Amino acid sequence: MAAHDSEGSILVFAQFQSKVDEGFWHRLSSLKLNKLGIDDSPIPITGFYAPWSHPQVPNNLTLLAQSLPTELSEQSSTAATSHGNRNRCPVQGTLYNMNTIESFHALDKKNLLKEEAKKIWDDMHTGKAVEDSALLSRFLLISFADLKNWTFHYWFAFPALVLDPPATLVDLRRASEYFSLEEAESVSAACNEWRNSSFTAEVPFFLVSIDPNSQATVKHLKDWETCQSDGHKLLFGFYDPCHLPNNPGWPLRNFLALICVRWSLKSVRFLCYRENRGFADLGLSLVGEALITVSQGWREHQCLPNAVGWEHNKGRQVSRCINLAKSMDPTRLAISAADLNLKLMRWRALPSLNLDALSSIKCLLLGAGTLGCQVARMLLAWGVRKITLLDNGRVAMSNPLRQSLYTLDDCLNGGEFKATAAVKSLTRIFPAVDAEGIVMAIPMPGHPVPNHEEDSVLEDCRRLHDLIDSHDAVFLLTDTRESRWLPTLLCANTNKITITAALGFDSFLVMRHGAGPFSSNHDFRAEAANALSAIGNVARIDSDGRQRLGCYFCNDVIAPIDSTANRTLDQQCTVTRPGLAPIASALAVELLVGILHHPQGIFADGEVANSSSNGSSEQPLGILPHQIRGSLSQFSQMMLVGHSSNSCTACSSTVVSEYQERGMEFIIQAINHPTYLEDLTGLTELMKSASSFNLDWDNETDLEEDDDCVQV
Amino acid sequence: MDILSWDGTLSSGDFRLAACAFMQKWKSVMSAFPPWSWVPCPKQPWGASASHDVEGYLSLENIILRSIEEEHDEISCPQKEETSCSEKEELIDIATLVQSNCSKVPYYDLHIIYSASYRVPVLFFRAYYSDGEPLGFNAIEKDLPAHSAKALLDSKWTFITQEEHPYLNRPWFKLHPCGTSEWMKLLFHVDVSVAKNGVTIELYLLSWLSVVGQVVGLRIPLEMLNQP
């Protein structure tokens, strides 16, 4: 609106603008959860504002955490107004926090505004507003806190009584242009004093009285009568949060209404008090003259004038909405903290860390026992998000001690299925994990299948095939040798990263299986080469001229059978020193991470030490072994390299191609007749010829005495 | 303090001293900004948390770091279900100025908090728009002046994490302190006046802030760093 019109133009006010500090929503959520529950009665709150002091941006009516009553207070019926200071003048308000979005929308806004306006109107008539002028800026807030999505819908109203007809503006100019130099100096000084005194700093409405000597004093509103009788020049001053050069701020509306009601003035000279860097600035402050022409009837107490004041949102009269999930949703916070932790590791120690590979890899854990639980946790720590656990057992009473995902509750009532309990536990640890549990037994050779169960076993085989197909890395963490056979075969068939961990009483083995027989770094050339390769016991060579690394069974000279008589690793009744499982599990996961960061991945050679004979440059994560055999009784670890065996019952090309040709029929045959595998791979022949020639076994496939081994 | 043997850190008592000196210097030189204030904190009853003898931190709140004339991307607020006043509910009021421009000016709160475990100050900060809506880190990054601040963020010396504010129990952004002592040592090695006069505690926070402040686009003029 025009600044220097001498003809009255309508006095147009700039609306209050709201600001809600994040802390307010945090506090409201906590209040709602802990104290209020579904109680939606109005809550007294305190807003804060101050004279404008920022360049070019208005000062807002601000809500902070301390705007809400404290949860422990008995004075919950009155808003705490003692938190102000000179930059936070407290203003009373009322909060209507609803329980549903529907009730939020359905609130009778016109009525609420009217009720709040009535409070102000009453205070004007009773004189309370003169005593405590901050009451003129009472406000209203309606809200709905969606605590599932951490979204807050809200809307402020700053009730202003509408003058009818509206006030007209006679004059509006900078205060420095209105006052004489002497007056200006005196007014500044007086205002600064007012603002610096703890008694008056929070009083947002005041009188400025200027005596004939140009000396100004700032007085409380209740001193009006005395000021009036003095006959001095008098201005009505108020803290103006607005920054605009041609419009006064919102508090002036109710101020004018008060002046009209209490003192029946027709012409009001006002001072929009604004500051710069904490001091009165009369160049920014405005002085104007308003004419009030309301009828006598308007001023009657019982006739409540109309009120306006719902806050505009980008020019429209609509509510606002803010989403604070990023800073309030515990799951989001956990995710961001976990991500940051890994990023920190990358930043400080390992710039080549491939966090994307880790977060996108899908891991299948066969076995959810001591090894399975620990591996799962380690994977989580490395940022792996997709974990599937397969186990057909239930949690037994002795399990929680060694199987770190279970507690006593999982053992009750016969015990939960391990796969299910593990998933629940992982989700409790880190809600963003994508964990799945499969309750299923792994078909095993040496455990023949009765006819009536054949179909379900076939089904399990197919299911296992599909599971392995749909994951990127498979951990073999079961407690018997024979249960590892089928997964090994299936992994060799699909060339998946396969990591085996097996425990003895005080020793462990952790190894990564080599690539399958029909794969190489160069597509399918090996397949052709292998098809032509010599019959014999030479270890399979791929087209790169390198040997495939072996699998768990490559060193065997007997097929996997029922191993209860076997006294090495993987006894059915596994008795192990408790320290073994965590060590082995940790190594298994670190081995996986090593594979993921190695340029050749599953095809990487097995390394035993950082020796220069290796040829390849050092990887940032260190060496990538093939097999780690550890002994707790020696507190030692040994790294070995074993190459694939042509007679391997699980990963040799003979076996894998049989599977590819005959599928489940082959599997069932192998399960029901373990010697079938030995016959197929030629192991039977081998043993016959060995026993007849008294061959030294050590020269065959075992490489224990090779240079490749290093005691660590 | 001998520059050669100094490790770039300071004790909590020194932090308090440095803070006082810093607040004074700031008032005189950075008059365009409001002054820093010291926020005292009650000792946590359950024992040592963030610090022992330092019972507070430096705070500078509600500041605008960028000039308004700079272009701001109009970040569209998601128009979720809004409740509105139909015209018959609220009269059109000719005395209300309708301002339709949504000036998305970010405000910053900066806290300087002493870390007892790293023995260095740590910058905690957050940003929000004038209506209180907080800025995520991507938005803060976009808000930074285009040049060197970005380089600083990518450097090996700076790393921004989101962590619980030690006193306010809400997530704030912070500049990770683990590189601080290293580059503080470097900084003081390079400064010729320090080589002459030795390391003075009073200069610590100024020098430190001249580096970390750039992360939020706060630039401290050189004259502030000279001895009076």
Side-chain angles (χ1 to χ4, degrees):
Chain A
M1 300 315 299
H4 298 286
D5 269 2
S6 49
E7 291 302 306
S9 46
I10 308 261
L11 179 52
V12 176
F13 305 87
Q15 234 193 4
F16 247 130
Q17 293 190 29
S18 67
K19 173 187 167 197
V20 186
D21 185 80
E22 214 182 319
F24 178 81
W25 299 121
H26 280 253
R27 176 68 150 260
L28 180 64
S29 308
S30 149
L31 208 57
K32 191 115 183 86
L33 289 171
N34 301 334
K35 189 169 174 220
L36 297 175
I38 55 167
D39 180 10
D40 61 3
S41 43
I43 306 168
I45 55 177
T46 311
F48 302 95
Y49 82 104
W52 175 57
S53 58
H54 262 303
Q56 295 168 355
V57 187
N59 206 327
N60 297 43
L61 186 93
T62 306
L63 293 189
L64 310 164
Q66 51 262 53
S67 297
L68 284 161
T70 61
E71 293 177 42
L72 313 164
S73 68
E74 280 87 42
Q75 352 95 305
S76 52
S77 54
T78 58
T81 50
S82 53
H83 300 124
N85 55 45
R86 65 186 303 267
N87 289 322
R88 289 193 194 158
C89 304
V91 171
Q92 273 189 40
T94 312
L95 167 65
Y96 292 86
N97 185 49
M98 309 315 293
N99 287 322
T100 63
I101 187 74
E102 292 80 20
S103 47
F104 175 73
H105 288 313
L107 281 170
D108 185 348
K109 287 163 270 303
K110 188 166 177 202
N111 216 28
L112 284 177
L113 187 66
K114 197 168 159 186
E115 269 174 36
E116 213 65 25
K118 181 154 196 319
K119 292 181 196 166
I120 302 177
W121 186 244
D122 289 342
D123 287 341
M124 285 185 192
H125 282 274
T126 58
K128 261 186 92 180
V130 174
E131 284 295 321
D132 180 8
S133 55
L135 291 171
L136 290 173
S137 296
R138 249 190 222 279
F139 65 96
L140 178 59
L141 174 64
I142 61 172
S143 68
F144 164 60
D146 178 351
L147 297 183
K148 286 205 180 60
N149 300 320
W150 308 100
T151 306
F152 302 88
H153 301 256
Y154 67 101
W155 204 352
F156 276 85
F158 305 105
L161 298 161
V162 177
L163 294 170
D164 184 18
T168 51
L169 187 61
V170 170
D171 177 26
L172 186 69
R173 65 179 83 174
R174 292 182 206 275
S176 50
E177 288 168 27
Y178 173 80
F179 294 121
S180 72
L181 222 54
E182 270 181 314
E183 285 174 335
E185 216 179 286
S186 184
V187 167
S188 289
C191 288
N192 285 331
E193 208 187 301
W194 182 264
R195 290 281 289 147
N196 286 330
S197 157
S198 52
F199 295 114
T200 52
E202 292 168 21
V203 177
F205 297 91
F206 49 92
L207 301 169
V208 180
S209 166
I210 307 180
D211 70 13
N213 294 329
S214 305
Q215 293 310 301
T217 35
V218 176
K219 305 211 167 138
H220 286 272
L221 292 184
K222 57 182 189 253
D223 295 337
W224 188 80
E225 266 88 25
T226 12
C227 289
Q228 177 76 323
S229 54
D230 278 341
H232 293 158
K233 191 146 74 164
L234 196 59
L235 293 105
F236 291 89
F238 69 99
Y239 293 168
D240 188 1
C242 173
H243 64 296
L244 298 172
N246 295 327
N247 300 85
W250 202 251
L252 183 58
R253 292 197 80 148
N254 288 338
F255 199 17
L256 289 179
L258 171 74
I259 295 167
C260 173
V261 160
R262 288 304 292 171
W263 303 309
S264 310
L265 294 185
K266 294 266 186 316
S267 157
V268 176
R269 196 158 278 282
F270 57 86
L271 166 68
C272 303
Y273 176 76
R274 300 164 179 186
E275 289 179 335
N276 190 11
R277 290 178 211 158
F279 293 105
D281 188 323
L282 295 185
L284 300 169
S285 303
L286 303 175
V287 170
E289 189 183 342
L291 290 181
I292 305 175
T293 52
V294 298
S295 64
Q296 179 61 27
W298 186 91
R299 294 177 28 228
E300 297 295 319
H301 190 165
Q302 60 267 32
C303 303
L304 177 65
N306 284 322
V308 293
W310 285 104
E311 187 179 12
H312 288 101
N313 184 10
K314 294 197 286 285
R316 297 165 56 213
Q317 286 232 308
V318 287
S319 62
R320 296 177 185 213
C321 178
I322 182 174
N323 179 284
L324 291 177
K326 279 220 184 80
S327 65
M328 290 180 77
D329 182 0
T331 303
R332 294 267 218 120
L333 292 172
I335 294 173
S336 104
D339 285 345
L340 277 170
N341 206 338
L342 291 165
K343 281 186 191 149
L344 193 64
M345 190 159 62
R346 181 173 62 186
W347 174 58
R348 285 305 279 174
L350 209 58
S352 56
L353 192 58
N354 187 346
L355 296 176
D356 290 331
L358 287 165
S359 61
S360 59
I361 193 174
K362 302 194 265 283
C363 290
L364 174 63
L365 278 58
L366 300 178
T370 36
L371 292 166
C373 290
Q374 289 293 124
V375 166
R377 274 179 169 274
M378 283 297 120
L379 287 172
L380 275 187
W382 269 106
V384 175
R385 297 279 188 260
K386 171 79 194 128
I387 300 174
T388 307
L389 293 116
L390 186 150
D391 197 301
N392 76 322
R394 289 183 185 271
V395 184
M397 287 283 182
S398 63
N399 292 159
L401 289 165
R402 296 180 182 229
Q403 304 183 10
S404 58
L405 292 177
Y406 310 128
T407 63
L408 180 64
D409 286 344
D410 301 316
C411 308
L412 305 175
N413 300 321
E416 274 238 52
F417 280 117
K418 283 187 178 180
T420 327
V423 164
K424 278 200 211 146
S425 182
L426 287 174
T427 314
R428 262 202 305 275
I429 293 169
F430 188 66
V433 70
D434 177 8
E436 202 190 332
I438 314 273
V439 181
M440 199 188 93
I442 301 176
M444 304 186 277
H447 297 253
V449 178
N451 271 343
H452 61 274
E453 281 177 29
E454 195 169 293
D455 280 342
S456 87
V457 168
L458 280 175
E459 181 54 42
D460 286 348
C461 292
R462 279 185 210 108
R463 211 164 157 205
L464 188 60
H465 172 104
D466 292 340
L467 276 172
I468 287 175
D469 220 18
S470 59
H471 286 74
D472 306 309
V474 181
F475 285 86
L476 306 188
L477 309 170
T478 52
D479 57 0
T480 61
R481 277 179 68 240
E482 54 269 33
S483 59
R484 301 169 194 267
W485 174 76
L486 181 56
T488 302
L489 166 58
L490 294 172
C491 288
N493 183 43
T494 49
N495 211 35
K496 299 286 177 174
I497 298 172
T498 316
I499 297 186
T500 289
L503 305 177
F505 168 65
D506 61 5
S507 62
F508 66 83
L509 163 69
V510 172
M511 66 178 289
R512 57 183 172 99
H513 294 191
F518 300 124
S519 66
S520 80
N521 268 330
H522 310 289
D523 301 320
F524 305 117
R525 262 187 271 159
E527 193 173 347
N530 290 338
L532 299 170
S533 69
I535 301 156
N537 294 325
V538 178
R540 181 65 63 215
I541 297 172
D542 67 18
S543 70
D544 292 338
R546 287 183 312 200
Q547 297 172 324
R548 240 181 359 112
L549 289 176
C551 76
Y552 180 66
F553 294 95
C554 280
N555 293 344
D556 287 352
V557 290
I558 45 172
I561 52 164
D562 191 327
S563 66
T564 47
N566 195 322
R567 305 183 83 211
T568 56
L569 297 175
D570 280 341
Q571 285 183 272
Q572 182 71 3
C573 167
T574 324
V575 180
T576 74
R577 285 176 68 163
L580 278 181
I583 297 173
S585 315
L587 289 173
V589 174
E590 295 294 328
L591 201 55
L592 171 69
V593 177
I595 297 171
L596 290 180
H597 285 81
H598 197 286
Q600 280 135 41
I602 196 178
F603 298 99
D605 284 338
E607 296 164 290
V608 293
N610 245 335
S611 53
S612 51
S613 64
N614 221 335
S616 62
S617 58
E618 189 179 320
Q619 297 295 322
L621 277 167
I623 63 170
L624 189 60
H626 174 230
Q627 299 177 31
I628 308 166
R629 290 184 186 254
S631 157
L632 209 46
S633 59
Q634 307 289 324
F635 287 93
S636 68
Q637 260 174 221
M638 198 160 62
M639 266 156 299
L640 308 171
V641 176
H643 292 111
S644 59
S645 160
N646 200 28
S647 317
C648 179
T649 49
C651 77
S652 63
S653 57
T654 323
V655 171
V656 176
S657 53
E658 270 307 296
Y659 172 68
Q660 286 176 352
E661 275 177 40
R662 300 201 289 127
M664 293 304 153
E665 192 198 314
F666 164 70
I667 302 288
I668 293 290
Q669 196 170 7
I671 286 175
N672 287 333
H673 311 282
T675 55
Y676 167 67
L677 282 172
E678 289 167 336
D679 295 341
L680 176 67
T681 57
L683 270 179
T684 319
E685 275 305 311
L686 186 63
M687 278 162 65
K688 275 197 204 146
S689 56
S691 52
S692 68
F693 286 109
N694 286 318
L695 264 172
D696 184 0
W697 285 108
D698 285 354
N699 285 339
E700 289 295 48
T701 53
D702 202 0
L703 300 160
E704 222 77 62
E705 55 191 59
D706 257 21
D707 294 344
D708 281 356
C709 307
V710 165
Q711 184 101 17
V712 174
Chain B
M1 201 187 302
D2 178 21
I3 182 78
L4 290 173
S5 60
W6 186 53
D7 64 355
T9 66
L10 79 172
S11 69
S12 60
D14 285 342
F15 174 75
R16 188 71 172 91
L17 284 175
C20 291
F22 171 74
M23 285 192 280
Q24 295 220 343
K25 211 79 217 273
W26 178 275
K27 250 191 252 190
S28 64
V29 180
M30 302 286 285
S31 50
F33 283 96
W36 287 80
S37 52
W38 177 263
V39 179
C41 289
K43 267 220 181 87
Q44 312 285 22
W46 50 89
S49 55
S51 55
H52 295 275
D53 5 350
V54 175
E55 286 174 36
Y57 57 91
L58 286 166
S59 158
L60 181 62
E61 293 188 349
N62 228 357
I63 54 168
I64 298 180
L65 292 174
R66 237 73 60 209
S67 85
I68 314 288
E69 279 84 40
E70 287 173 21
E71 277 303 308
H72 288 280
D73 293 331
E74 182 65 47
I75 299 147
S76 63
C77 320
Q79 296 297 333
K80 295 214 177 106
E81 320 152 53
E82 289 171 333
T83 191
S84 65
C85 269
S86 65
E87 281 175 23
K88 51 180 164 51
E89 282 185 332
E90 169 146 327
L91 36 127
I92 313 243
D93 176 44
I94 48 174
T96 304
L97 180 70
V98 179
Q99 298 166 278
S100 55
N101 60 326
C102 172
S103 72
K104 286 286 203 180
V105 176
Y107 288 71
Y108 283 80
D109 286 350
L110 306 179
H111 288 181
I112 301 178
I113 306 183
Y114 180 73
S115 160
S117 45
Y118 287 94
R119 290 169 51 87
V120 291
V122 182
L123 179 70
F124 279 79
F125 64 95
R126 68 179 187 124
Y128 43 89
Y129 294 115
S130 56
D131 62 355
E133 186 195 336
L135 271 82
F137 182 64
N138 291 335
I140 294 181
E141 244 190 319
K142 280 205 205 112
D143 181 55
L144 287 170
H147 45 93
S148 63
K150 182 74 167 76
L152 192 74
L153 282 177
D154 291 337
S155 83
K156 64 186 280 252
W157 301 118
T158 56
F159 188 85
I160 304 207
T161 72
Q162 187 182 43
E163 269 185 44
E164 281 252 312
H165 189 288
Y167 299 107
L168 299 180
N169 294 322
R170 279 198 294 285
W172 278 53
F173 293 108
K174 89 171 196 200
L175 203 66
H176 202 280
C178 59
T180 301
S181 61
E182 293 164 42
W183 55 255
M184 278 306 290
K185 193 168 173 163
L186 270 182
L187 203 68
F188 274 74
H189 266 118
V190 162
D191 190 338
V192 170
S193 70
V194 168
K196 278 195 288 190
N197 307 323
V199 177
T200 46
I201 283 307
E202 283 81 22
L203 282 184
Y204 190 99
L205 276 176
L206 299 174
S207 315
W208 171 84
L209 190 61
S210 70
V211 176
V212 306
Q214 293 178 59
V215 167
V216 289
L218 174 69
R219 255 175 266 111
I220 299 185
L222 283 175
E223 59 260 23
M224 203 179 169
L225 299 170
N226 295 334
Q227 292 270 30

